[in-house]
Amino acid sequence: MHAFRAAVEARDLDAIADLLADDVRFTSPVAFTPYDGKPITAAILRGVLRVFEDFHYVREIVDAGGRDSALVFEATVDGKVVNGCDFIRTDGDGKIVDLMVMVRPLQGAHALSAAMGEQFGRIQAEAIAELEARQRIDESTPPRLT
C-alpha cells in the first residue's frame, strides 16, 4: 500500500505532511494555478479531509519503478458523490514532489470547489503559521562555521 494512502486513510495529518517534499507541487482539481510548497499543500490536504465525507480509496495503480502512483477514491461533499484520482510522483527519497488531483462528476467538482472555498481562509492562515514557524526555527539556528 502506498504510504500516502495509508496516512490519508488513517487521517494522520502529521504522516501526510511528513511525506511531502519541501518543494512539492499541488495541482488542484478546481484551481487554475498549482500551489507550490509543503506548507500550503499540507494545509490544503487538511482542508480536504475536513470537507470530504465517507472518503475511501478504491484502487491503487503503481508504476514498475514505484515513483508514480494513481490512487482512485470516492467521497461525498455536501451530499454530492465525488469520484477522483490522486496522481502522485515521488523523489528518490520517497517524498511526494508532485500531487495532482482530478475529480468528477461536474456537480461533485462544484460541491468540492464551494466547500474548499469556505475553507480557504483557514487554509491560508495555517500555511502562513507554518511558514512563520519555519522562519523562527531558521533564525534561531546558529550559523555553521566552515
Side-chain angles (χ1 to χ4, degrees), residues 34-128:
Y35 297 93
D36 291 318
K38 184 175 182 173
I40 189 67
T41 300
I44 290 169
L45 294 174
R46 287 190 297 270
V48 168
L49 288 178
R50 289 190 293 265
V51 302
F52 274 154
E53 303 163 23
D54 305 320
F55 179 91
H56 59 282
Y57 287 108
V58 296
R59 187 173 321 137
E60 181 173 331
I61 305 162
V62 181
D63 78 329
R67 291 188 56 197
D68 290 292
S69 304
L71 304 175
V72 181
F73 64 83
E74 294 176 350
T76 305
V77 178
D78 196 26
K80 304 285 191 273
V81 173
V82 176
N83 307 108
C85 189
D86 295 334
F87 294 96
I88 299 169
R89 180 159 185 85
T90 57
D91 63 14
D93 295 325
K95 298 287 186 177
I96 298 171
V97 293
D98 189 68
L99 173 57
M100 178 175 58
V101 180
M102 293 186 172
V103 297
R104 64 158 308 278
L106 187 57
Q107 287 181 334
H110 285 307
L112 178 59
S113 179
M116 289 302 291
E118 292 174 9
Q119 291 281 319
F120 216 75
R122 181 175 175 182
I123 289 168
Q124 287 176 313
E126 289 176 4
I128 290 168

